C-alpha cells in the first residue's frame, strides 16, 4: 500500500526544522496552493483534450490531429491564444460584479477540487464534515453564474442565468440526498474515512440496490450541476447563443470554460470517491493473488482511472442526448429524482439498521 | 391507461429509449472513422472530372489557345465575370485586318460556375478544371488573365 | 393561363364567393404586377384543396401615386405576408390589412424596386451602415370617398415598450440563416411575436427581368439551395411549356431521380439540423455523414455538390455517368439501413419525444389557409403533394405513397420527412434500372424567346410547392417572373402557432417547419 | 525571411506567396530582439492553431461550412471545431453567403463586437464581390467594403477542401504576425478596400501546367 502521508509529513518536518513554525505553515500553504492550481490547470487541459477526442470518436470523426503528435498540443494552442485575447469591457454593465463572476465560478470549483482524495494522504482539505463542506463549496458556483448573467446587461445572459439558477439549486437537492444516502451507509462525513471504509469493498457493492440507485441519480444530477448536455440549458447554444457567458471574452470566458470541465471532473471524482471506493483497489474475495497484484497499482492510478472512466460515461451521455426543455428539467427533478431519492434514502437506512449490507 | 403512461412504466420506457440511444453511439465509438484527411491526402484526392472550380483555356499541341475572340462567352455570362479584350492585327500575307484575342480576363471571385460560357463557346476554347486551391490574400489576385 | 379581371368594387364579394361556394380555400400564389401604363395589379391563383381545380383572378388599379386594392387576408391568412410583400415591392396599399409595413426591405428604403420605373441608382439607396430602427407601429389604411388614402390605427404597437423583448436573429444559430424574430417574453413564454425577413433579400425577381432565360436558371439554384434541382426543374418546365419543347423520356427519368435524390439530401439535412437545434449534435453529424454520399453522386454527375447547375432548357447539362445507376443503388441500400440509426439515437429518444409531441400544432384548416405545403402541410393531414395533385415528369408512372400524418405537431412534421426519405428511395429504386436510352437534351435555339403570355409551373420542392410564374412580352428576358417561396407561408403560420409557447419550442418549431431563408427572401 | 510552415503542403505550392512576402517585409521593417521574436512565434503558433469561428452563415456557403464541421471533412483536425455563437469569443468570422444592404450593418456590428485579434474570411463569390447577385439593388458587392478581409476563398460555393485551404492560408497569415512591437493586426483596422478592381494587368495564369493536370 502506498501512503502519501509519509511524504507530506517528511516535508512538514523538514520545513519546521529549517524555519520558525509560523513561516513553515505559511510556506506549506503557498506550496499547497501552487500544487493545487497546477493540478487544476493540468487536469483541465487533459479534460478538454479528452472531450474533443471522445466527442470526435462518437461522431465518426478524428478530432484534433494536426497540432502536435495526434493533436496533443491542441489545447495548449488554445490556452496561448486565450491568454492574449482581448478582454472586452461592456458598457452599462455592473462592472464589479461582471469581473467578479468568473473568479467566483473558478473559486468554487477549486475549493471543491481540493476536497478530492487522490490517494491515501494526498488530499488538501480533509475534516470531519468534509461532505458537508463539499456541498457548500460547490453550491456557490451558481452564484457566479447568476452574477455573470445579471451583470452582463444582456437579455440572453439574463435568461441563461435564471435558468441555471433554477436548475442548479434544484438539482443540488438530489445530489444532497444521494450523498446523504452514502453518509448513512458509511456513518461518517469525513471523506478520507469514507474511502478507508471501502478498502474491503466498494460502497456500490456493499450498499447494493440503494447504492446503485443513488449512484445513477447522482450521475444525472451531477451532469445537471455541471450545466452539460442534456442539461446545458443555461448556455443552450441553439436557444440563447451562449447563455450566461455571451458577453465574456478572452480569459474571462476561459475561466467559465475551464470551470465547466473541472466541475465535470469533480462530479466524477466525488462519484468515484463515494461509490467506487476512491483510491482503493478492486478486490475480489477469494482471489488472493489477484488482490495482491491490484495492490501494486498505486492508489492515485485507481482514483484517476475510476474518475476518467466516469467522465467518459458522462461524455457519452452528453454526446448522445438532445437537450431537455426548460420545464422538463424541474419535472424530472421534482417528480422523479427527489421522490425516488427520498425513498432510496429510507431503504438505505432500513438496510443499514437491519444490517442488510455486505 | 397504458403501462407506458404510468409512473413506473414511464420511467422504464424512458430509460429503455435512452439506453437505445447510448447503444447506438457506443457502436459508432468503435467503428472506423470516415474522415478524409485533406491536406494530408492531397496526392490521392480524387475529385470528379465534372467539378467546376476554375475556368481555364485548354491549349492545343502547339501551345496556342483556340479562342477566336467572338465574345459569345462574355455575352452569355450573367454577371460580367468574363471580359474579352480584342485587338486588330494585320495579316501579313493577305494584308487584311483581323480581330484576335488580346486579353481574356476572368474574375474568379465573382464567377458563379453556371457553365453558360462553356456552353456558348463554339470552339471549346474554355473549360472548367477542378483545381480548387484558389484562396488568396488579395482580392485583385482573383482577377486573372487566362491567355498568355 | 388567362386570369379573369375583376372590378375593384365587386372584388371582395366575388372572392368571398369563390372561397365559400367554389371551395377555393388554398391561395397558391399572390403575384404583384406592374403593367406600366395599364396600372398596377395583383394576380391571385386559387386552388380547391379537394378537387385541385385552379382559378386565376386578377385585379388592377391605374392610380400609380396611391395605388390601393382591397385585402384578402381575412379569407386566406397567408395573404397577410404576401400582401406585405406586394406593398414592399410595388407600393400597393391594401385596405383593411392589419399590418402594412415593409416585409423585406429596410423601413427607410426609397422607392418600390419591382416597379418598372424604379430608379436603381446607388445615390438613392446607398448601403446604409447605421442600424435599422425597428418599426413597431402597424398601420391600417382605408379608402376615403375620393379614393384618397387615410391612415388609421397608427398608434397600435405590435410589441409595446415595457415588455421583455428579445431578438432571436438575424445572427442566431437556430434561425438557419438570417431571419429575425422579435419576441415579447413573459418568463420563458412567448407572448407576442414579430417576424422580420429580408436580411438575405437578393432581388432575384428584379434581376431576372434583365437576364436571359438561361441566365436566370443559375439564380434558381441559389433560391433554396437544398432544392436546387427542383427549383431549376420548375423553371425549365415552365419555359419548355411556354415554348412547346417536348423533352425526351431519358431527361424526364434523370430529372425525376435527381429530384428525389435532392429531396433525400434536403431531408437528411433537415433532420440533422433539427437534431442540432434540439441539442443532439451527434445525430447532426450522422445525418451529414450520410448526406455526403448523395453529394458525391451529385458531384460526379453534375459537377457541383450543393449548386448543381444540371437542368437546362430542353434537357440536362450532361448525360449521366456510366456508374451512376450502380452508385445510386448502393446508396439506397446504405441509406435504408441508416434510418434506423437516426431513430434510435434521436427520434425515439424520450427527450426528443417530450420536446416535439404536441408542440406547435397546425390544424388542417390553418395549414390550408396559410398555404403550408410540403411536409408541414402533410403532417397536418393535408394531401398537398404537387407530385400527386398536378403530376409532372414521370411521377404519374411511378408508384409511391403520399405520407400523411394527422396531428400536425413537431413530431409529425419530423416523422413525415423521415418517411419521405424512405418513399423517395422507393421511387428511385423503381426507375433507376429503367432509364430509357435516348438523347439527354433536345436541341434548342441559341436565343430563347418565350411567346407572349403568362405561364406557370409547379414542382414539389423539398419543403413544399415551388411555383414559377412568367409573364412574357416575347422578349429575351421575362417581363415579370415570380417564384412561389416555399418558406414564406411557413413563416406566416409561425405567427399563429408560436403564441404561448416557450423559447425552446420556438427552436423546435422553427427546426421542424424546415424553412430556408434565401428561399423566403428571394 | 521567415517562411510560415504548414503541415503537408510545401510553402511553394501555396498560392499568392507574393502578397504574403510583401506583408512579411512590411511587418519586419522594424527590428525586434530575439526573445520577443521567440515569444511571437509561440503566440502565433497558438493563435493560428486555435481559430474559433463565429457561426455565421447567410446562405449556400453556410451549408458547405456545416459540411466542413461534419464527419467527412472534420475541421476539428485543425482545432477549428469550437465554433462560438457569441462574437465575443470568436477569433474569426467566416462570411459565408450573400450580404445584403439590410444585413450589412449587422455584419459590421458583429465584427465590431469581436475581441481582438480578429480575422475575416470571405467565403464564396457573394462575399467576395457580390457574385451572382452583383447587379442586384439590394446586395453588397463584396464584404471588403465594410470590414477588412484577410483571405478570399472563391467558389460558388467553394467545396469544403477549398475552405480548408483558405483556412490554412489564414494560418500562414497569422504566423507572420508580430504581437510585440512591429505592426500587428490592429494596424489595419479601418482600412477598407474601396478601390475598384482594375482588370488590366491581371496576372497571367499558367495554362500549360493547368492543361497537363
Amino acid at each position: 500500500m502506498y501512503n502519501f502521508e509519509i511524504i507530506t509529513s517528511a516535508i512538514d518536518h523538514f520545513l519546521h526544522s529549517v524555519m520558525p513554525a509560523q513561516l513553515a505553515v505559511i510556506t506549506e500553504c503557498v506550496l499547497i496552493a501552487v500544487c493545487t492550481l497546477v493540478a487544476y490547470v493540468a487536469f483541465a487541459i487533459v479534460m478538454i483534450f479528452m472531450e474533443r477526442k471522445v466527442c470526435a470518436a462518437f461522431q465518426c470523426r478524428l478530432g484534433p490531429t494536426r497540432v502536435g503528435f495526434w493533436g496533443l498540443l491542441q489545447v495548449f494552442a488554445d490556452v496561448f491564444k486565450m491568454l492574449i485575447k482581448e478582454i472586452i469591457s461592456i458598457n452599462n454593465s455592473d462592472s464589479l460584479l461582471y469581473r467578479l463572476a468568473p473568479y467566483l465560478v473558478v473559486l468554487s470549483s477549486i475549493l471543491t477540487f481540493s476536497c478530492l482524495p487522490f490517494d491515501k494522504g494526498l488530499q488538501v482539505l480533509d475534516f470531519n464534515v468534509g461532505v458537508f463542506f463539499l456541498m457548500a463549496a460547490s453550491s456557490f458556483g451558481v452564484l457566479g453564474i447568476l452574477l455573470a448573467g445579471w451583470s452582463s446587461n444582456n437579455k440572453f445572459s439574463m435568461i441563461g442565468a435564471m435558468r441555471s439558477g433554477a436548475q442548479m439549486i434544484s438539482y443540488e437537492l438530489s445530489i444532497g440526498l444521494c450523498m446523504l444516502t452514502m453518509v448513512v451507509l458509511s456513518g461518517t462525513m469525513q471523506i478520507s474515512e469514507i474511502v478507508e471504509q471501502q478498502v474491503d469493498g466498494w460502497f456500490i457493492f456493499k450498499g447494493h440496490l440503494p447504492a446503485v440507485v443513488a449512484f445513477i441519480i447522482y450521475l444525472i444530477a451531477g451532469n445537471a450541476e455541471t450545466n452539460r448536455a442534456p442539461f446545458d440549458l443555461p448556455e443552450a447554444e441553439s436557444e440563447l447563443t451562449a447563455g450566461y457567458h455571451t458577453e465574456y471574452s478572452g480569459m474571462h470566458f476561459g475561466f467559465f470554460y475551464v470551470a465547466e470541465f473541472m466541475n465535470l471532473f469533480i462530479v466524477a471524482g466525488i462519484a468515484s470517491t463515494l461509490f467506487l471506493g476512491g483510491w482503493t483497489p478492486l478486490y475480489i474475495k477469494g482471489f488472493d493473488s489477484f488482490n495482491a497484484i491490484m495492490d501494486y497499482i498505486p492508489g492515485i492510478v485507481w482514483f484517476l482511472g475510476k474518475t476518467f472512466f466516469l467522465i467518459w460515461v458522462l461524455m457519452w451521455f452528453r454526446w448522445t442526448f438532445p437537450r431537455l426543455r426548460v420545464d422538463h428539467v424541474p419535472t424530472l427533478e421534482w417528480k422523479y429524482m427527489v421522490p425516488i431519492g427520498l425513498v432510496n434514502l429510507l431503504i438505505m437506512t432500513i438496510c443499514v439498521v437491519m444490517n442488510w449490507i455486505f | 391507461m397504458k403501462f407506458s403512461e404510468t409512473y413506473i412504466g414511464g420511467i422504464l420506457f424512458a430509460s429503455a429509449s435512452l439506453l437505445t440511444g447510448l447503444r447506438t453511439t457506443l457502436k459508432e465509438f468503435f467503428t472506423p472513422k470516415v474522415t478524409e484527411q485533406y491536406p494530408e491526402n492531397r496526392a490521392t484526392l480524387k475529385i470528379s472530372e465534372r467539378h467546376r472550380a476554375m475556368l481555364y483555356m485548354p491549349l492545343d499541341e502547339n501551345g496556342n489557345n483556340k479562342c477566336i475572340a467572338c465574345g459569345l462567352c462574355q455575352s452569355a455570362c450573367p454577371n460580367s465575370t468574363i471580359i474579352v479584350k480584342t485587338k486588330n492585327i494585320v495579316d501579313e500575307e493577305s494584308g487584311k485586318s483581323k480581330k484576335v484575342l488580346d486579353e481574356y480576363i476572368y474574375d474568379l471571385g465573382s464567377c458563379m460556375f453556371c457553365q453558360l460560357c462553356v456552353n456558348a463557346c463554339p470552339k471549346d476554347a474554355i473549360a472548367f478544371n477542378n483545381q480548387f486551391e484558389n484562396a488568396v490574400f488579395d482580392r485583385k489576385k482573383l482577377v486573372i488573365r487566362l491567355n498568355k | 393561363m388567362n386570369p379573369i379581371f375583376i372590378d375593384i368594387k365587386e372584388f371582395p364579394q366575388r372572392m368571398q364567393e369563390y372561397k365559400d361556394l367554389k371551395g377555393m380555400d388554398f391561395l397558391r400564389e399572390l403575384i404583384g404586377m406592374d403593367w406600366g401604363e395599364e396600372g398596377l395589379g395583383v394576380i391571385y391563383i386559387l386552388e380547391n384543396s379537394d378537387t385541385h381545380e385552379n382559378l386565376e383572378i386578377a385585379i388592377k388599379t391605374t392610380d400609380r401615386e396611391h395605388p390601393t386594392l382591397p385585402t384578402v387576408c381575412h379569407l386566406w391568412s397567408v395573404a397577410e405576408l404576401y400582401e406585405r410583400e406586394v406593398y414592399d415591392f410595388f407600393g400597393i396599399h391594401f385596405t383593411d390589412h392589419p399590418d402594412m409595413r415593409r416585409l423585406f426591405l429596410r423601413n427607410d428604403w426609397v422607392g418600390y424596386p419591382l416597379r418598372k420605373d424604379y430608379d436603381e441608382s446607388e445615390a438613392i439607396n446607398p448601403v446604409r451602415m447605421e442600424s435599422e430602427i425597428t418599426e413597431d407601429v402597424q398601420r391600417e389604411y382605408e379608402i376615403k370617398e375620393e379614393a384618397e388614402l387615410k391612415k388609421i390605427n397608427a398608434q397600435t404597437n405590435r410589441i409595446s415598450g415595457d415588455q421583455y423583448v428579445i431578438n432571436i436573429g438575424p445572427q442566431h444559430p437556430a434561425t438557419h440563416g438570417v431571419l429575425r424574430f422579435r419576441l415579447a417574453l413573459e418568463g420563458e413564454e412567448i407572448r407576442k411575436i414579430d417576424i422580420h425577413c429580408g436580411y438575405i433579400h437578393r432581388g432575384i425577381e428584379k434581376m431576372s427581368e434583365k437576364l436571359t432565360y438561361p441566365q436566370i436558371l443559375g439564380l434558381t439554384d441559389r433560391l433554396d439551395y437544398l432544392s436546387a434541382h427542383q427549383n431549376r426543374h420548375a423553371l425549365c418546365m415552365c419555359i419548355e411549356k411556354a415554348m412547346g419543347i417536348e423533352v425526351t423520356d431519358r431527361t424526364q427519368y434523370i430529372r425525376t431521380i435527381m429530384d428525389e435524390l435532392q429531396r433525400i439530401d434536403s431531408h437528411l439535412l433537415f433532420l440533422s439540423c433539427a437534431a442540432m437545434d434540439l441539442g443532439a449534435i451527434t445525430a447532426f453529424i450522422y445525418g451529414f455523414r450520410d448526406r455526403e454520399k448523395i453529394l458525391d453522386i451529385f458531384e460526379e454527375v453534375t459537377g457541383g455538390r450543393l449548386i448543381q447547375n444540371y437542368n437546362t432548357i430542353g434537357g440536362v447539362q450532361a448525360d449521366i455517368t456510366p456508374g451512376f445507376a450502380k452508385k445510386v443503388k448502393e446508396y439506397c441500400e446504405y441509406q435504408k439501413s441508416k434510418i434506423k440509426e437516426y431513430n434510435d439515437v434521436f427520434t425515439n429518444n424520450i427527450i426528443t419525444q417530450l420536446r416535439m409531441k404536441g408542440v406547435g400544432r397546425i390544424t388542417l384548416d390553418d395549414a390550408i389557409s396559410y398555404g403550408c405545403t410540403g411536409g408541414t402541410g402533410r403532417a397536418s393531414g393535408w394531401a398537398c403533394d404537387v407530385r400527386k395533385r398536378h403530376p409532372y415528369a414521370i411521377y404519374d408512372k411511378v408508384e409511391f405513397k403520399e405520407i400523411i400524418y394527422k396531428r400536425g405537431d413537431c413530431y409529425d412534421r419530423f416523422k413525415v420527412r423521415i418517411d419521405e426519405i424512405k418513399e423517395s428511395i422507393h421511387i428511385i429504386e423503381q426507375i433507376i434500372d429503367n432509364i430509357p436510352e435516348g438523347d439527354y437534351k433536345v436541341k434548342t435555339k441559341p436565343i430563347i424567346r418565350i411567346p407572349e403570355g403568362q405561364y406557370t409551373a409547379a414542382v414539389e420542392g423539398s419543403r413544399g410547392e415551388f411555383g414559377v410564374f412568367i409573364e412574357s412580352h416575347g422578349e429575351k428576358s421575362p417581363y415579370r417572373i415570380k417564384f412561389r417561396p416555399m418558406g414564406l407561408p411557413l413563416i406566416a403560420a409561425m405567427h399563429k402557432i408560436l403564441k404561448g409557447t416557450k423559447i425552446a419550442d420556438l427552436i423546435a418549431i422553427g427546426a421542424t417547419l424546415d424553412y430556408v431563408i434565401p428561399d423566403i427572401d428571394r | 525571411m521567415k517562411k510560415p510552415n504548414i503541415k503537408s503542403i510545401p510553402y511553394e505550392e501555396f498560392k499568392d506567396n507574393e502578397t504574403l512576402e510583401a506583408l512579411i517585409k512590411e511587418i519586419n521593417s522594424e527590428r525586434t530582439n530575439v526573445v520577443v521574436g521567440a515569444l511571437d512565434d509561440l503566440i502565433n503558433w497558438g493563435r493560428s492553431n486555435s481559430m474559433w469561428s463565429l457561426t455565421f452563415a447567410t446562405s449556400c456557403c453556410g451549408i458547405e461550412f456545416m459540411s466542413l464541421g461534419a464527419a467527412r471533412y472534420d475541421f476539428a483536425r485543425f482545432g477549428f471545431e469550437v465554433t462560438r455563437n457569441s462574437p465575443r469569443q470568436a477569433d474569426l468570422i467566416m462570411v459565408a453567403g450573400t450580404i445584403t444592404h439590410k444585413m450589412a450593418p449587422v455584419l459590421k456590428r458583429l465584427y465590431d463586437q469581436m475581441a481582438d485579434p480578429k480575422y475575416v474570411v470571405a467565403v464564396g463569390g457573394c462575399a467576395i464581390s457580390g457574385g451572382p447577385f452583383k447587379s442586384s439593388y439590394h446586395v453588397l458587392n463584396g464584404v471588403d467594403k465594410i470590414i477588412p478581409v484577410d483571405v478570399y476563398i472563391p467558389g460558388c460555393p467553394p467545396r469544403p477542401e477549398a475552405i480548408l485551404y483558405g483556412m490554412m492560408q489564414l494560418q500562414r497569415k497569422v504566423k507572420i504576425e508580430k504581437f510585440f512591437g512591429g505592426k500587428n493586426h490592429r494596424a489595419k483596422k479601418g482600412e477598407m478596400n474601396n478601390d475598384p478592381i482594375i482588370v488590366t494587368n491581371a496576372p497571367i495564369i499558367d495554362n500549360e501546367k493547368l492543361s497537363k493536370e
Side-chain angles (χ1 to χ4, degrees), chain C residues 360-376:
Chain C
R361 286 199 58 187
I362 302 180
T363 59
L364 177 59
D365 288 342
D366 275 347
I368 297 176
S369 174
Y370 278 105
C372 300
T373 50
T376 308

Side-chain angles (χ1 to χ4, degrees), chain D residues 113-186:
Chain D
Q113 280 174 340
M114 283 164 68
D116 274 316
K118 51 192 172 186
Y119 306 95
V120 180
V121 177
V123 182
C126 294
I128 297 174
S129 68
F133 311 104
K134 234 186 206 170
S135 58
S136 168
Y137 57 89
H138 200 241
V139 170
L140 186 72
N141 289 352
V143 288
D144 49 10
K145 293 218 162 101
I146 53 170
I147 51 177
V149 176
D150 291 285
V151 173
Y152 299 85
I153 307 175
C156 193
R159 50 181 301 122
E161 282 108 340
I163 304 183
L164 281 180
Y165 179 81
M167 296 288 282
M168 285 188 283
Q169 286 277 45
L170 181 64
Q171 285 190 322
R172 284 180 354 128
K173 194 168 182 176
V174 175
K175 280 190 176 173
I176 59 162
E177 268 182 7
K178 287 200 166 174
F179 182 67
F180 296 104
K183 291 176 182 169
N184 59 30
H185 192 82
R186 293 192 74 160

Side-chain angles (χ1 to χ4, degrees), chain A residues 34-321:
Chain A
V34 169
C35 290
T36 314
L37 282 178
V38 168
Y40 185 83
V41 172
F43 279 118
I45 286 173
V46 173
M47 293 274 305
I48 294 173
F49 182 70
M50 177 179 171
E51 165 100 333
R52 291 168 87 162
K53 276 290 187 189
V54 168
C55 139
F58 277 123
Q59 299 176 344
C60 355
R61 47 192 189 91
L62 291 173
T65 56
R66 280 177 64 91
V67 188
F69 173 71
W70 205 53
L72 281 169
L73 297 177
Q74 180 60 55
V75 184
F76 291 95
D78 288 335
V79 171
F80 282 126
K81 181 208 70 182
M82 201 87 105
L83 281 172
I84 47 162
K85 186 109 179 130
E86 181 190 7
I87 291 179
I88 293 178
S89 54
I90 311 287
N91 276 352
N92 303 325
S93 63
D94 195 329
S95 167
L96 174 72
L97 297 184
Y98 177 75
R99 273 161 213 196
L100 188 65
Y103 295 97
L104 275 181
V105 173
V106 170
L107 182 64
S108 147
S109 80
I110 291 181
L111 269 183
T112 330
F113 176 74
S114 43
C115 293
L116 292 180
F118 286 90
D119 201 346
K120 195 171 187 178
L122 193 63
Q123 188 181 1
V124 181
L125 292 174
D126 184 30
F127 46 97
N128 55 0
V129 285
V131 172
F132 190 67
F133 174 79
L134 194 84
M135 290 218 50
S138 73
S139 62
F140 84 77
V142 67
L143 183 67
I145 290 176
L146 274 174
L147 285 184
W150 166 257
S151 62
S152 299
N153 189 25
N154 179 315
K155 290 178 179 176
F156 282 126
S157 305
M158 182 73 188
I159 297 174
M162 289 303 139
R163 280 182 174 188
S164 97
Q167 176 184 322
M168 291 174 82
I169 289 170
S170 49
Y171 278 78
E172 212 110 87
L173 200 69
S174 274
I175 291 195
L177 281 175
C178 295
M179 286 189 176
L180 211 56
T181 313
M182 298 328 280
V183 169
V184 166
L185 179 59
S186 63
T188 172
M189 279 179 124
Q190 188 163 12
I191 291 169
S192 56
E193 182 81 26
I194 290 176
V195 183
E196 291 286 356
Q197 286 192 10
Q198 301 184 60
V199 171
D200 56 338
W202 300 352
F203 276 164
I204 197 157
F205 303 129
K206 273 189 180 173
H208 53 91
L209 186 71
V212 170
V213 173
F215 181 58
I216 292 168
I217 293 180
Y218 178 81
L219 280 188
I220 298 173
N223 214 351
E225 270 292 287
T226 52
N227 288 334
R228 285 166 61 83
F231 298 97
D232 60 347
L233 293 109
E235 41 198 304
E237 294 218 322
S238 56
E239 294 163 30
L240 305 176
T241 60
Y244 59 86
H245 54 59
T246 305
E247 295 288 353
Y248 284 89
S249 67
M251 211 49 216
H252 277 168
F253 162 67
F255 284 145
F256 285 116
Y257 197 66
V258 165
E260 184 195 312
F261 280 100
M262 284 317 286
N263 282 336
L264 178 65
F265 180 84
I266 290 157
V267 163
I270 293 170
S272 64
T273 311
L274 288 184
F275 299 94
L276 303 181
W279 44 261
T280 60
L282 178 70
Y283 292 134
I284 302 174
K285 270 189 190 123
F287 289 84
D288 286 336
S289 52
F290 174 81
N291 295 349
I293 296 169
M294 289 293 122
D295 268 344
Y296 278 108
I297 302 172
I300 190 157
V301 175
W302 275 109
F303 177 78
L304 290 181
K306 289 168 192 172
T307 307
F308 277 103
F309 173 72
L310 285 180
I311 291 169
W312 181 83
V313 170
L314 289 175
M315 284 179 181
W316 183 17
F317 290 170
R318 186 199 199 302
W319 295 109
T320 303
F321 300 139

